[in-house]
Amino acid sequence: MRSLTLLGPQRLTPTLPEAVAAVRVDLSPGQPPLAIVTAGWQEREDEDADLVAALLGNTVNLRLYARVADIFERDPDLERAHRERGQRLRDIQTLYELRLGHAMDAVFELLRRTTEGWLIDGEVDSALEAVRALDARVLALNAEVTDEFLAAWRPAERDAVAVHRADVARMLRDASGLAIAGGQVPTLLNRLNLLGVGDHVQELHVFAWSAGAMVVTERIVVFRDDPPHGPPYSRVFEVGLGWCQGVVALPHPRRRLHLGDPRRVAILARRFAPAVCLGFEDGAHLPIAGGDGRPRHGVLLLGADGAVAELAA
């Protein structure tokens, strides 16, 4: 792609217009529009008036959520297979969470030990290796399920999918860039993949925030230190689009993580190294590829030493 910029959440601090201007995308009337993806909002996909207004109205919503709904209406066999795949993936996550909770409990129990201090560092490293093995296993099992689904159903070749894929490809060819908003991560990722958006971004300026920033990475991590249910540990969810390498994107980390607890910060950073854990608060701006001339700002780096600091410009 021509450029990729990760941003902080846009609802309270909309910085997308500035990011678009920074890469010299001209959205004045008569110029190519900015394609936008709001599929993560699900049934509220079309409620994009604020986003459109902020970009002077020169946008085109790809409507990926509505397109997939139409595909499933036209092809109920594919819908059933897709739903069965989703259930299998949820079953994998359920068992992974069960094992992960015990493995992470062991890590933090070791950190609380003091009587065998000379042993602890090595034992924590070993316990983290066990956690990383679980993380790798869940991605491998997900890949098996997805590969089986793709081989059996070849969704890109089915008539209902092919029609919408061709239309999305045309819209992206006519666009100046692509903006991917947040919402539900699984919904957003599934729609982007099913409709082949990644096949048509090579000449585009891409902007992503919230769930959008998460799905463009190579590994999606769902995180919350005080979840409404389940163990209080971050979990690997799925392989992302891979447009951004070596980054674990963490939108709104101050709301979801105990950043004042150096032990939790350190374990999170160490667990996913060598990828860096980056927090995106309101107003954050991080050029990843095709630098836009603006320095990075508002992005938090979670360090393996437990420190949290703004990423240097």
Side-chain angles (χ1 to χ4, degrees):
M1 61 199 67
R2 295 180 66 181
S3 72
L4 172 62
T5 305
L6 302 186
L7 302 170
Q10 295 294 296
R11 187 170 69 87
L12 299 178
T13 310
T15 57
L16 179 60
E18 300 171 20
V20 169
V23 293
R24 297 180 175 82
V25 171
D26 183 359
L27 293 182
S28 58
Q31 297 300 314
L34 184 73
I36 59 177
V37 171
T38 53
W41 301 351
Q42 300 179 315
E43 291 84 358
R44 296 175 48 248
E45 179 177 51
D46 291 329
E47 297 178 19
D48 58 3
D50 290 344
L51 186 57
V52 171
L55 295 165
L56 306 177
N58 194 7
T59 64
V60 56
N61 195 320
L62 297 183
R63 303 191 73 242
L64 302 187
Y65 187 81
R67 290 179 185 277
V68 173
D70 181 68
I71 288 169
F72 288 160
E73 183 176 349
R74 294 169 180 267
D75 193 339
D77 290 338
L78 181 63
E79 179 188 23
R80 184 174 60 256
H82 192 270
R83 187 169 59 249
E84 290 172 354
R85 168 184 171 266
Q87 184 58 58
R88 293 179 69 188
L89 293 175
R90 286 190 291 275
D91 290 344
I92 290 169
Q93 282 284 315
T94 297
L95 297 184
Y96 162 64
E97 286 186 44
L98 175 64
R99 297 184 65 190
L100 178 67
H102 292 295
M104 290 297 295
D105 284 347
V107 171
F108 282 96
E109 180 60 30
L110 286 167
L111 287 173
R112 286 190 288 269
R113 303 284 294 200
T114 57
T115 55
E116 307 91 348
W118 64 278
L119 270 173
I120 293 303
D121 287 347
E123 291 304 298
V124 169
D125 287 341
S126 179
L128 275 176
E129 280 300 318
V131 172
R132 294 188 192 102
L134 286 175
D135 294 341
R137 177 169 173 76
V138 74
L139 294 182
L141 290 172
N142 286 357
E144 288 181 16
V145 170
T146 297
D147 289 347
E148 181 180 319
F149 168 77
L150 294 175
W153 291 91
R154 298 183 179 276
E157 299 174 14
R158 299 179 74 87
D159 290 346
V161 179
V163 168
H164 282 290
R165 276 194 167 219
D167 197 38
V168 168
R170 176 190 58 78
M171 295 171 74
L172 289 172
R173 283 195 301 270
D174 294 339
S176 58
L178 174 66
I180 305 177
Q184 293 292 323
V185 169
T187 301
L188 181 58
L189 182 65
N190 284 336
R191 273 57 182 176
L192 288 164
N193 280 328
L194 185 59
L195 290 166
V197 171
D199 297 336
H200 307 287
V201 298
Q202 292 85 354
E203 298 302 319
L204 297 179
H205 296 284
V206 177
F207 313 89
W209 62 93
S210 297
M214 295 169 71
V215 302
V216 302
T217 64
E218 56 192 332
R219 177 176 50 183
I220 299 170
V221 174
V222 178
F223 61 102
R224 193 159 185 169
D225 282 344
D226 291 307
H229 55 80
Y233 304 122
S234 301
R235 58 186 172 90
V236 172
F237 173 70
E238 184 56 282
V239 172
L241 298 173
W243 303 350
C244 173
Q245 302 287 315
V247 168
V248 174
L250 308 170
H252 277 318
R254 289 194 176 95
R255 295 184 189 176
R256 300 176 180 176
L257 297 174
H258 295 163
L259 296 185
D261 185 339
R263 291 188 305 175
R264 294 191 76 96
V265 171
I267 290 300
L268 185 64
R270 290 169 60 185
R271 175 179 169 188
F272 295 113
V276 291
C277 292
L278 299 182
F280 292 84
E281 292 290 351
D282 291 339
H285 176 95
L286 179 64
I288 294 291
D292 60 15
R294 298 180 66 212
R296 59 185 67 165
H297 63 267
V299 181
L300 301 179
L301 173 63
L302 279 61
D305 59 355
V308 178
E310 186 165 336
L311 196 63

